[in-house]
Amino acid sequence: MTDSNYPSFLDAAAIPSGRNDPDDPNIAWRPSAAYLQRSRLRAFMETNGLNTFNELLNRAAVSPEWFWEAVVRDLDLQFYKPYDNIMDTSRGWPWTTWFNGAQYNYVNDALDKRAVKSATGATPRDAGRPAIIFEGEEGVIRTLTYAQLHAQVCKFANGLRSLGVVEGDRVGLFMPFTPEVAIAMLACGKIGAVFIPIFSGYAAPSIAARLNDGGAKVLITTDGSTRRGKPIAMKEVADAAADAASTVEKIIVHRRIGSQVPWNTERDIWWDDLIDGQPDECESVRTGAEQLYMLIYTSGTTGKPKGAQHVHAGFPLKGAQDMAHCFDVQPGDILFWYTDIGWMMGPWAISGALMLGATIFMYDGTPDFPDPDRLWAMIERHKITHLGISPTAIRALMTHGDEWVQKHDLSSLQFLGSTGEPWNPDPWWWYLNTVGGGRCPIINYSGGTEISGGILCCNPLLPIKPTSFNAPVPGMAADVVDDMGRPIRGAVGELALRGPWPGMTRGFWGDPERYESTYFSRVPGLWVHGDWAMIDDDGYWYILGRSDDTIKVAGKRLGPAEVESAAVGHPLVREAAAIGVPDELKGEVVVVFAVLRPGAEPSDSLRDEITAAIVSQLGKSLAPKRILFVSDLPRTRNAKIMRRVIRARYLDEPLGDISSLENPAAVDEIGMAK
């Protein structure tokens, strides 16, 4: 398997490729014969007569109709009614529609065909295999086979119908990451309802804003959850949100922790009471391929959250394709992505794993409770094959020491995944070597909620450099461009897309103009994603942070990840966030907030050492103006550091939307640190 210069479909100079140099010291991982042999992507290429990965990227970019029809065959997707055409760009490519005229319900591919007897009476081979394995933070373990999951989904779908939920109605899911949230999600799809996934840590006003904007008819929640062994109220929060959401008629409550909760007999109904006596069969509605199935909200820098609209033959298809071609998920594999239903990786993990006949592992606690080895113990206990986790979580787990990892047998692991933010080298190497034993590839993955998955990834056919992406996701016509939309190499530019794909959002709910202005207003004809990126001389891609986080010192554009990587190179710095603040002379100067490792004490001498570490990497002209010590950094539940919030607090500017923050107290500490 060889790789040549990427990508020839772009008007750019050829890039020398060093990927096949066996002596290249910059390569951290190379595919073994075993990885090449098991690869779904390799089999896909061979089936379609493609000799090189570069040939696949180019053909997919110039002929998306060919590529996505090949994906449909590869994933064995079953349409109730065939499509008239693959794609329609008559309204312009921002409004492309896919599989036009088809009837398709993703729940059939994720569940029905794997659990329901055929017309001949044959039982599918997946019926008795685990679909979901769940471990609660308190230690409870549950397993649902495909057949058992199907029965529970049907019962709940019938229960929703008994409440008057019909096709097109919106249903909010404010739940921890348990089997019930998967059941509710699949049940909505089965009857043609639209689910709104909501972060389990949101406060009532943030939930109400999403319920009101989406016009939700029903809200599904739990009596409560636990976080580090402490009960977290959810029903009370759901009540307050529903009180402020005029469209909510019913609240369905699952008993998760057995707590006493307030009860409104006119509005509330227990999960068990809803499904009691309901049939365990329910035929999936033959929805249109372009029919809305999920409305998922993303937080903007300012203004109200954006409601990304996703359809049955969009998000689920793209997610399953990414899993198959990047993460090589196959039947019998066990995928554990440490996530929440409110982050797109929650719905992505559930639908994608099931559509590929794999098992989704679900956990609703913290990864280092009650002991620092909780995550590693679960991997050993459940023989997990695919682990996905954020760089921030890895940095936190590193502080506990290698011994907590090494006491467990992690030989079941085959793939390590990561997404959410750029890597720093040290934690990347720790993940590769300490967790993966140097044998498992790190599949770095970056895209977004509006994308339905990844723009860039790694895949197990190509070598991997530390912290890099070794390719775009097949089917994504990705590029790095300057302000005029011209391809650039070896320099920082904007990550952009030159053509459509099925998973792209069908606009923002009730606000089509905002969708076009967000992605298509900067460079005509290009989706400009909002990430700074770079392609190096060997064709490896790097994400350097959000372009709205960019620091510009004396005219030089600087990604915060560059500064942060240099700062955490100091042995006493666990984590860092870099921002740019106004300066009369240079335009902007760098301010760094550093979180120290346990036992390290702030001092002026340590500031000088960290400054020296940054200067040694970036040069004197980019030396930070200030280094401030804090105990934590503002972050979302999915571990993204909120640099714009840090900057706003430091400058005493409006904070914007902070509904997704997990640790609001960290914002106050930023203000005190200055």
Side-chain angles (χ1 to χ4, degrees):
M1 190 69 60
T2 60
D3 176 59
S4 56
N5 300 334
Y6 173 80
S8 63
F9 75 93
L10 298 177
D11 182 19
I15 304 168
S17 177
R19 298 191 193 196
N20 299 310
D21 181 357
D23 300 319
D24 186 348
N26 296 313
I27 299 299
W29 182 89
R30 296 181 186 277
S32 66
Y35 277 96
L36 294 174
Q37 180 61 34
R38 72 159 266 157
S39 170
R40 290 189 63 144
L41 183 56
R42 177 196 57 78
F44 176 82
M45 290 170 57
E46 290 180 355
T47 297
N48 290 281
L50 300 165
N51 296 315
T52 68
F53 183 75
N54 188 66
E55 186 180 350
L56 167 62
L57 289 180
N58 287 323
R59 188 172 177 189
V62 300
S63 183
E65 298 97 332
W66 163 83
F67 176 76
W68 290 105
E69 189 162 38
V71 168
V72 166
R73 292 193 302 269
D74 183 53
L75 300 181
D76 189 29
L77 302 185
Q78 297 180 358
F79 289 81
Y80 297 114
K81 178 186 174 185
Y83 41 83
D84 298 325
N85 56 64
I86 300 291
M87 58 185 285
D88 180 357
T89 60
S90 59
R91 295 172 56 208
W93 87 254
W95 300 102
T96 302
T97 56
W98 294 82
F99 308 106
N100 297 282
Q103 290 181 337
Y104 177 77
N105 189 318
Y106 86 98
V107 179
N108 179 56
D109 275 318
L111 196 55
D112 298 352
K113 75 181 186 184
R114 303 187 182 281
V116 180
K117 290 183 179 180
S118 67
T120 63
T123 300
R125 64 179 182 179
D126 297 322
R129 290 198 303 102
I132 293 175
I133 300 172
F134 168 70
E135 182 165 322
E137 189 181 71
E138 77 280 20
V140 64
I141 295 174
R142 295 165 53 200
T143 298
L144 289 173
T145 66
Y146 273 91
Q148 291 168 335
L149 176 61
H150 180 265
Q152 291 299 309
V153 168
C154 288
K155 281 178 170 288
F156 196 75
N158 288 321
L160 288 175
R161 280 180 167 161
S162 74
L163 297 180
V165 177
V166 298
E167 279 189 65
D169 282 346
R170 273 79 67 200
V171 176
L173 305 185
F174 174 56
M175 307 177 75
F177 207 56
T178 63
E180 282 67 35
V181 79
I183 290 167
M185 169 184 147
L186 292 161
C188 287
K190 181 170 268 292
I191 64 173
V194 179
F195 75 98
I196 303 174
I198 300 170
F199 271 109
S200 61
Y202 272 160
S206 297
I207 301 168
R210 288 152 176 81
L211 298 175
N212 271 319
D213 189 68
K217 186 174 184 177
V218 172
L219 177 61
I220 307 173
T221 189
T222 65
D223 57 350
S225 61
T226 59
R227 196 83 175 164
R228 295 195 174 278
K230 297 178 180 179
I232 304 295
M234 294 189 71
K235 173 59 164 58
E236 293 84 348
V237 177
D239 283 343
D243 289 343
S246 60
T247 59
V248 174
E249 299 174 4
K250 293 289 184 181
I251 300 179
I252 302 169
V253 187
H254 175 253
R255 288 184 177 90
R256 171 66 185 95
I257 62 174
S259 62
Q260 296 293 320
V261 294
W263 202 254
N264 179 339
T265 57
E266 296 297 317
R267 187 173 65 185
D268 301 342
I269 182 169
W270 287 110
W271 177 292
D272 291 342
D273 292 340
L274 180 67
I275 65 172
D276 184 39
Q278 294 291 350
D280 59 6
E281 294 182 357
C282 178
E283 184 176 353
S284 294
V285 172
R286 299 192 172 196
T287 47
E290 281 287 311
Q291 190 164 322
L292 190 65
Y293 97 104
M294 176 174 70
L295 182 58
I296 182 168
Y297 285 84
T298 62
S299 298
T301 303
T302 59
K304 69 177 186 179
K306 308 183 295 286
Q309 302 181 95
H310 288 295
V311 300
H312 274 266
F315 185 105
L317 187 160
K318 162 70 172 163
Q321 181 249 336
D322 285 10
M323 275 195 198
H325 290 170
C326 301
F327 296 91
D328 201 28
V329 173
Q330 303 190 22
D333 287 341
I334 302 175
L335 172 78
F336 175 21
W337 206 283
Y338 184 63
T339 185
D340 184 279
I341 194 62
W343 185 25
M344 63 143 283
M345 298 305 292
W348 178 93
I350 294 167
S351 61
L354 298 179
M355 288 174 71
L356 297 177
T359 301
I360 172 73
F361 178 80
M362 306 181 78
Y363 174 62
D364 67 349
T366 50
D368 57 354
F369 181 85
D371 297 306
D373 61 340
R374 178 62 180 272
L375 179 65
W376 321 122
M378 290 191 298
I379 292 170
E380 179 180 29
R381 183 158 48 246
H382 300 289
K383 307 301 180 188
I384 288 163
T385 60
H386 292 64
L387 172 66
I389 194 168
S390 71
T392 295
I394 288 296
R395 286 192 288 266
L397 291 166
M398 283 176 64
T399 63
H400 298 304
D402 295 2
E403 63 273 14
W404 291 102
V405 184
Q406 293 166 349
K407 66 189 290 189
H408 294 284
D409 177 6
L410 305 185
S411 60
S412 63
L413 284 175
Q414 298 183 47
F415 290 85
L416 306 175
S418 74
T419 193
E421 59 180 325
W423 276 101
N424 310 117
D426 285 352
W428 189 93
W429 280 105
W430 189 85
Y431 193 29
L432 180 80
N433 290 324
T434 304
V435 178
R439 58 183 178 78
C440 302
I442 296 178
I443 307 298
N444 209 3
Y445 187 56
S446 184
T449 302
E450 296 90 334
I451 301 291
S452 296
I455 299 172
L456 304 179
C457 69
C458 292
N459 67 69
L461 294 187
L462 302 175
I464 298 173
K465 282 186 180 182
T467 75
S468 75
F469 304 84
N470 62 13
V473 177
M476 304 299 287
D479 198 1
V480 176
V481 302
D482 63 15
D483 293 340
M484 301 300 291
R486 296 170 298 207
I488 56 175
R489 302 294 180 261
V492 177
E494 289 273 9
L495 180 64
L497 291 157
R498 295 190 175 274
W501 65 100
M504 60 193 295
T505 181
R506 302 314 193 259
F508 297 149
W509 180 260
D511 200 350
E513 294 81 10
R514 189 180 183 190
Y515 163 61
E516 291 207 46
S517 66
T518 299
Y519 292 112
F520 296 96
S521 62
R522 295 175 60 182
V523 181
L526 293 186
W527 172 301
V528 179
H529 193 57
D531 282 334
W532 289 126
M534 184 184 73
I535 308 174
D536 73 8
D537 291 341
D538 295 326
Y540 289 86
W541 299 60
Y542 297 85
I543 297 288
L544 303 174
R546 296 294 295 170
S547 52
D548 54 10
D549 289 336
T550 302
I551 306 166
K552 202 166 186 178
V553 180
K556 179 176 174 56
R557 200 161 59 190
L558 182 67
E562 298 176 82
V563 182
E564 293 157 7
S565 290
V568 299
H570 190 286
L572 296 183
V573 178
R574 189 186 85 185
E575 200 166 28
I579 61 170
V581 301
D583 181 79
E584 289 185 4
L585 180 62
K586 294 186 176 182
E588 281 190 319
V589 292
V590 178
V591 174
V592 175
F593 294 84
V595 179
L596 300 180
R597 294 184 182 275
E601 294 293 332
S603 67
D604 289 339
S605 61
L606 182 54
R607 282 191 180 89
D608 292 341
E609 291 176 20
I610 297 169
T611 298
I614 295 171
V615 168
S616 69
Q617 294 291 318
L618 303 179
K620 290 184 178 180
S621 64
L622 298 176
K625 180 76 171 180
R626 300 185 73 186
I627 291 179
L628 301 172
F629 297 109
V630 292
S631 63
D632 200 5
L633 297 170
R635 71 188 76 247
T636 64
R637 284 290 295 272
N638 58 325
K640 288 185 179 180
I641 294 172
M642 300 285 277
R643 295 181 186 86
R644 66 166 180 82
V645 173
I646 295 172
R647 187 177 190 274
R649 183 65 186 89
Y650 182 83
L651 297 175
D652 293 323
E653 295 175 348
L655 298 181
D657 179 15
I658 59 171
S659 60
S660 60
L661 275 182
E662 181 183 39
N663 52 346
V667 180
D668 297 331
E669 190 178 359
I670 295 295
M672 292 185 289
K674 68 176 185 175

